[in-house]
PDB file of all heavy atoms in Angstrom:
ATOM      1  N   PHE A  28      35.195  59.795  97.838  1.00 96.00           N
ATOM      2  CA  PHE A  28      36.345  59.202  98.529  1.00 96.00           C
ATOM      3  C   PHE A  28      36.438  59.740  99.945  1.00 96.00           C
ATOM      4  O   PHE A  28      35.709  60.664 100.317  1.00 96.00           O
ATOM      5  CB  PHE A  28      37.644  59.491  97.751  1.00 96.00           C
ATOM      6  CG  PHE A  28      38.054  60.938  97.745  1.00 96.00           C
ATOM      7  CD1 PHE A  28      39.152  61.379  98.471  1.00 96.00           C
ATOM      8  CD2 PHE A  28      37.336  61.868  97.015  1.00 96.00           C
ATOM      9  CE1 PHE A  28      39.525  62.714  98.465  1.00 96.00           C
ATOM     10  CE2 PHE A  28      37.696  63.202  97.002  1.00 96.00           C
ATOM     11  CZ  PHE A  28      38.789  63.632  97.725  1.00 96.00           C
ATOM     12  N   ASN A  34      30.792  63.008  95.062  1.00 97.00           N
ATOM     13  CA  ASN A  34      31.891  63.815  94.536  1.00 97.00           C
ATOM     14  C   ASN A  34      31.304  64.633  93.385  1.00 97.00           C
ATOM     15  O   ASN A  34      30.830  64.061  92.401  1.00 97.00           O
ATOM     16  CB  ASN A  34      33.014  62.893  94.033  1.00 97.00           C
ATOM     17  CG  ASN A  34      34.278  63.674  93.669  1.00 97.00           C
ATOM     18  OD1 ASN A  34      34.215  64.813  93.212  1.00 97.00           O
ATOM     19  ND2 ASN A  34      35.414  63.049  93.872  1.00 97.00           N
ATOM     20  N   GLN A  84      37.633  67.030  92.888  1.00 98.00           N
ATOM     21  CA  GLN A  84      37.151  67.950  93.916  1.00 98.00           C
ATOM     22  C   GLN A  84      38.305  68.410  94.804  1.00 98.00           C
ATOM     23  O   GLN A  84      39.172  67.621  95.155  1.00 98.00           O
ATOM     24  CB  GLN A  84      36.127  67.224  94.778  1.00 98.00           C
ATOM     25  CG  GLN A  84      35.884  67.922  96.117  1.00 98.00           C
ATOM     26  CD  GLN A  84      34.579  67.543  96.726  1.00 98.00           C
ATOM     27  OE1 GLN A  84      34.307  66.368  96.958  1.00 98.00           O
ATOM     28  NE2 GLN A  84      33.758  68.527  96.991  1.00 98.00           N
ATOM     29  N   TYR A 162      47.925  64.099  95.600  1.00 98.00           N
ATOM     30  CA  TYR A 162      47.041  62.935  95.794  1.00 98.00           C
ATOM     31  C   TYR A 162      46.592  62.424  94.415  1.00 98.00           C
ATOM     32  O   TYR A 162      47.262  62.638  93.407  1.00 98.00           O
ATOM     33  CB  TYR A 162      45.885  63.369  96.710  1.00 98.00           C
ATOM     34  CG  TYR A 162      45.097  62.243  97.332  1.00 98.00           C
ATOM     35  CD1 TYR A 162      45.706  61.214  98.048  1.00 98.00           C
ATOM     36  CD2 TYR A 162      43.708  62.220  97.212  1.00 98.00           C
ATOM     37  CE1 TYR A 162      44.955  60.195  98.610  1.00 98.00           C
ATOM     38  CE2 TYR A 162      42.946  61.206  97.784  1.00 98.00           C
ATOM     39  CZ  TYR A 162      43.580  60.189  98.478  1.00 98.00           C
ATOM     40  OH  TYR A 162      42.830  59.183  99.030  1.00 98.00           O
ATOM     41  N   VAL A 163      45.446  61.750  94.344  1.00 98.00           N
ATOM     42  CA  VAL A 163      45.098  61.042  93.104  1.00 98.00           C
ATOM     43  C   VAL A 163      44.759  62.011  91.952  1.00 98.00           C
ATOM     44  O   VAL A 163      44.936  61.674  90.783  1.00 98.00           O
ATOM     45  CB  VAL A 163      43.972  60.010  93.365  1.00 98.00           C
ATOM     46  CG1 VAL A 163      43.697  59.192  92.118  1.00 98.00           C
ATOM     47  CG2 VAL A 163      44.355  59.075  94.512  1.00 98.00           C
ATOM     48  N   CYS A 164      44.309  63.214  92.274  1.00 98.00           N
ATOM     49  CA  CYS A 164      44.031  64.182  91.194  1.00 98.00           C
ATOM     50  C   CYS A 164      45.312  64.565  90.469  1.00 98.00           C
ATOM     51  O   CYS A 164      45.363  64.567  89.237  1.00 98.00           O
ATOM     52  CB  CYS A 164      43.347  65.439  91.745  1.00 98.00           C
ATOM     53  SG  CYS A 164      41.646  65.108  92.228  1.00 98.00           S
ATOM     54  N   HIS A 187      39.848  71.453  89.137  1.00 98.00           N
ATOM     55  CA  HIS A 187      39.280  71.126  90.448  1.00 98.00           C
ATOM     56  C   HIS A 187      38.027  71.956  90.692  1.00 98.00           C
ATOM     57  O   HIS A 187      38.002  73.154  90.408  1.00 98.00           O
ATOM     58  CB  HIS A 187      40.293  71.457  91.565  1.00 98.00           C
ATOM     59  CG  HIS A 187      41.136  70.304  91.982  1.00 98.00           C
ATOM     60  ND1 HIS A 187      42.508  70.312  91.911  1.00 98.00           N
ATOM     61  CD2 HIS A 187      40.796  69.087  92.516  1.00 98.00           C
ATOM     62  CE1 HIS A 187      42.982  69.152  92.374  1.00 98.00           C
ATOM     63  NE2 HIS A 187      41.958  68.398  92.750  1.00 98.00           N
TER      64      HIS A 187
HETATM   65  N1  LIG B   1      39.924  64.882  94.695  1.00 92.23           N
HETATM   66  C1  LIG B   1      41.145  64.257  95.149  1.00 92.23           C
HETATM   67  C2  LIG B   1      41.144  62.906  94.516  1.00 92.23           C
HETATM   68  C3  LIG B   1      39.773  62.693  93.976  1.00 92.23           C
HETATM   69  C4  LIG B   1      39.128  63.990  94.052  1.00 92.23           C
HETATM   70  O1  LIG B   1      38.006  64.272  93.594  1.00 92.23           O
HETATM   71  C5  LIG B   1      42.373  65.093  94.855  1.00 92.23           C
HETATM   72  O2  LIG B   1      42.289  66.334  94.808  1.00 92.23           O
HETATM   73  O3  LIG B   1      43.467  64.531  94.721  1.00 92.23           O
END
Side-chain angles (χ1 to χ4, degrees):
F28 68 109
N34 189 327
Q84 162 159 57
Y162 196 53
V163 185
C164 288
H187 266 121

